[in-house]
């Protein structure tokens, strides 16, 4: 998910929720490389952060696989965070969440309460 309207932000925040993630999804490394290449090669300054919400342990292996294809500056924008639906994001220990606007924090909290079904997102 990215907030990309120029009047809101000059950079995108990409939030990836791993609720419901499985090994079937982990094998799609090619897709991850393509998305990261878009941010690295085509729009390097538009990516503000990538927030990986509740990432599984296998993600470390996936990141190690794509890291050679992604520049260090882009990799430094990747943040992993564990969040429960009951967490107050404005006081969460992960400071990356503090940079989200209140409406984005509210959306993320609401999205975390949804069951892990494809394409089922909380409305903005």
């Amino acid at each position: 998910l990215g907030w990309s309207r120029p009047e809101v932000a000059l950079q995108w925040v990409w939030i990836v929720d791993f609720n419901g993630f499985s090994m079937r999804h982990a094998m799609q490394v090619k897709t991850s490389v393509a998305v990261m290449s878009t941010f690295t090669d085509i729009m390097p300054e538009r990516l503000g952060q990538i927030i990986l919400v509740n990432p599984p342990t296998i993600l470390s292996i996936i990141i190690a696989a794509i890291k050679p294809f992604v520049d260090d500056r882009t990799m430094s924008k990747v943040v992993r965070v564990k969040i429960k639906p009951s967490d107050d994001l404005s006081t969460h220990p992960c400071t990356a969440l503090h940079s989200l606007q209140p409406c984005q924090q509210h959306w993320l909290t609401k999205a975390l309460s949804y069951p892990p079904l494809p394409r089922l997102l909380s409305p903005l």
Side-chain angles (χ1 to χ4, degrees):
L1 172 67
W3 279 268
S4 61
R5 294 189 325 234
E7 67 274 13
V8 174
L10 297 175
Q11 294 184 318
W12 296 354
V13 176
W14 182 20
I15 299 172
V16 183
D17 180 5
F18 284 93
N19 191 17
F21 186 82
S22 70
M23 284 302 294
R24 179 174 58 94
H25 303 105
M27 297 298 121
Q28 298 176 6
V29 174
K30 185 177 179 180
T31 302
S32 300
V33 171
V35 171
M36 291 301 287
S37 294
T38 299
F39 285 120
T40 302
D41 302 333
I42 300 170
M43 308 179 288
E45 299 306 317
R46 294 290 288 172
L47 177 63
Q49 259 181 340
I50 298 175
I51 300 175
L52 306 175
V53 177
N54 301 327
T57 306
I58 188 75
L59 187 68
S60 297
I61 296 168
I62 296 170
I63 289 176
I66 67 170
K67 192 172 183 175
F69 304 101
V70 182
D71 69 83
D72 291 339
R73 183 172 179 165
T74 301
M75 286 305 297
S76 72
K77 297 176 181 184
V78 177
V79 178
R80 295 178 225 173
V81 61
K82 296 284 185 187
I83 306 173
K84 292 180 270 181
S86 60
D87 287 350
D88 179 357
L89 301 186
S90 64
T91 59
H92 194 278
C94 178
T95 57
L97 298 174
H98 302 173
S99 65
L100 296 176
Q101 296 176 10
C103 66
Q104 295 165 328
Q105 290 180 359
H106 175 74
W107 178 88
L108 180 55
T109 300
K110 191 171 180 182
L112 288 170
S113 69
Y114 276 62
L117 298 172
R119 297 175 194 83
L120 181 62
L121 294 175
S122 171
L124 292 175

